[in-house]
Every structure is written in structure tokens, then in C-alpha cells.
Amino acid sequence: MNLFFGARLVRAGLWYPAGWLEPPFRGLGPLPQAETTMMMDAKNASLVMIDYQPRLLPAIRHGQKLVARSVTLGRIAALLGVPVIGTEQSPDKLGENVPSIRRLCAETVAKHRFDASEALRATALAERRQVVLCGCEAHVCVLQTALGLQALGFQVFVVEDAVGARRQGDRSAALARLSQAGVTLVTLEMAAFEWLGDADHPRFREVQALIK
């Protein structure tokens, strides 16, 4: 047999030269794949609301709209049993999160590092494998926290219409980089309907009313 053609058959698993041992998996069918899901699951998710602080928000583009959108997301999470955790960057200097955000959070973590992943490990977040992020700034604390949580083995989602920054260019660059790194970008409504699962959920009408 032509050596070049034979090598191609070997690589394809279609032929083995005499005396070669066949791989142990030959004839056993396809190898099992790791169990993964791209869907957000309310029973396996936490929502982290990042740095909605009064000395930061006035500089954020469309800051009040961002807060309103995030409050809706937080209320939906609370309705569906998704733990809500807040973070505050140097609260002694930037203040606590605004009341509308803070009251939604079962716990709030103060931090000095831009990446909140290590601080969040001591919260209810550690009990679940999916983390959904919103907040500001997209290219600093949101980005670094997302990448940090991903490195710790969490499946990370960032809610694109609930993150902000001072400059649109920074926000766009952050979302592009997150996507390239394997973080899943979603919208508020994606989160809401995936957490619900179906229209027979007992909280469906309440959630639907919040997003209309």
C-alpha cells in the first residue's frame, strides 16, 4: 500500500498495519462528552451586582437607566430564588451601593481589588456553579471579576444591557474581550426567561409584568 495513503487511513481509524495494537476505544462508539449547558438555570445561578456607588454612577453613561435595568434584573432574581450578592469598591471613598440596589442584595461584599472573585468565594455564590454579572465599570471591575470567576471554574454570564462604563468605547471593548475569553453575553430578558424555564412557572406573570 502507498505509505502516504496508508498513513491517511490510519489517522482516520480505517486501517491498522499488521501487528499494531488497536486503540482500546476502537469499536466502543464516540467518547463521552463533558456535561455542559449554555442555559442559565435558576437553581444553579447567583446574581452579582457590581459597584452601583453614588460617587461612581454620575460619571457612567446612562447611569440612571443602568440602575433601573439592574433593579428589574435583581427583582426577577429574587422572585425566582436566585441569590443576589452586591459588591462595593472601596466604600469608604465611593460610598455604599445606592439603596435601590443594596436592598435587593442578601449580602454585600466590600472590596479594594477590582477583581471581586476571591471575596465572593466566601458568599452564597460558592454553592452554585453559574454566576450572572451586572454593574460597572464594564472594562474594570465587571471584566476582571468575570475573568477571575471563570478561572475559578464558574460558568460566567454578563448581562449586556445591565453593565455600564464612563465611555462607550471602553464598554464595547470590554464586551468584545469577555466574549473572546468565553464568557457568555446575555440580556436581561434572556436571563428572565431561562430562569423561568416555561410559561407554567408560578412566577411567570410577575416576571412578565416586570419586563413589559
Side-chain angles (χ1 to χ4, degrees):
M1 179 182 293
N2 179 283
L3 288 176
F4 177 75
F5 183 66
R8 293 184 65 181
L9 290 176
V10 169
R11 284 198 298 271
L14 300 176
W15 174 72
Y16 290 90
W20 277 29
L21 291 175
E22 294 184 353
F25 52 81
R26 182 171 170 79
L28 297 180
L31 293 174
Q33 299 297 310
E35 188 174 331
T36 60
T37 177
M38 293 302 293
M39 299 279 282
M40 288 170 281
D41 178 2
K43 294 180 180 178
N44 196 32
S46 301
L47 173 65
V48 177
M49 311 188 82
I50 298 176
D51 305 353
Y52 293 82
Q53 293 162 268
R55 294 185 187 173
L56 177 61
L57 281 172
I60 301 299
R61 281 174 55 88
H62 310 299
Q64 292 308 308
K65 183 178 179 181
L66 169 67
V67 171
R69 196 77 174 153
S70 301
V71 166
T72 299
L73 178 63
R75 291 176 66 187
I76 291 169
L79 280 173
L80 300 179
V82 176
V84 183
I85 303 161
T87 72
E88 294 170 345
Q89 177 70 28
S90 303
D92 54 322
K93 298 176 182 176
L94 298 177
E96 295 182 342
N97 284 340
V98 294
S100 59
I101 294 290
R102 211 170 204 277
R103 71 172 63 104
L104 291 169
C105 299
E107 51 189 322
T108 299
V109 176
K111 63 186 176 70
H112 293 281
R113 292 182 58 84
F114 301 131
D115 173 5
S117 61
E118 288 294 336
L120 288 166
R121 292 180 76 177
T123 69
L125 172 145
E127 301 169 9
R128 298 179 174 218
R129 300 316 301 164
Q130 294 184 347
V131 186
V132 180
L133 302 180
C134 60
C136 52
E137 284 193 68
H139 63 298
V140 186
C141 293
V142 175
L143 173 76
Q144 293 189 33
T145 299
L147 296 179
L149 288 168
Q150 187 181 58
L152 291 174
F154 291 93
Q155 186 178 11
V156 183
F157 301 83
V158 170
V159 184
E160 187 170 349
D161 52 344
V163 295
R166 287 164 293 161
R167 289 179 287 273
Q168 180 58 34
D170 286 329
R171 181 180 180 277
S172 298
L175 294 174
R177 184 177 171 194
L178 286 165
S179 181
Q180 290 167 359
V183 173
T184 304
L185 302 182
V186 298
T187 66
L188 183 153
E189 290 201 16
M190 288 181 192
F193 287 107
E194 288 177 32
W195 284 340
L196 279 167
D198 62 64
D200 292 328
H201 194 289
R203 297 285 195 175
F204 176 77
R205 292 193 179 278
E206 293 171 86
V207 171
Q208 189 179 42
L210 286 172
I211 61 179
K212 277 185 175 179

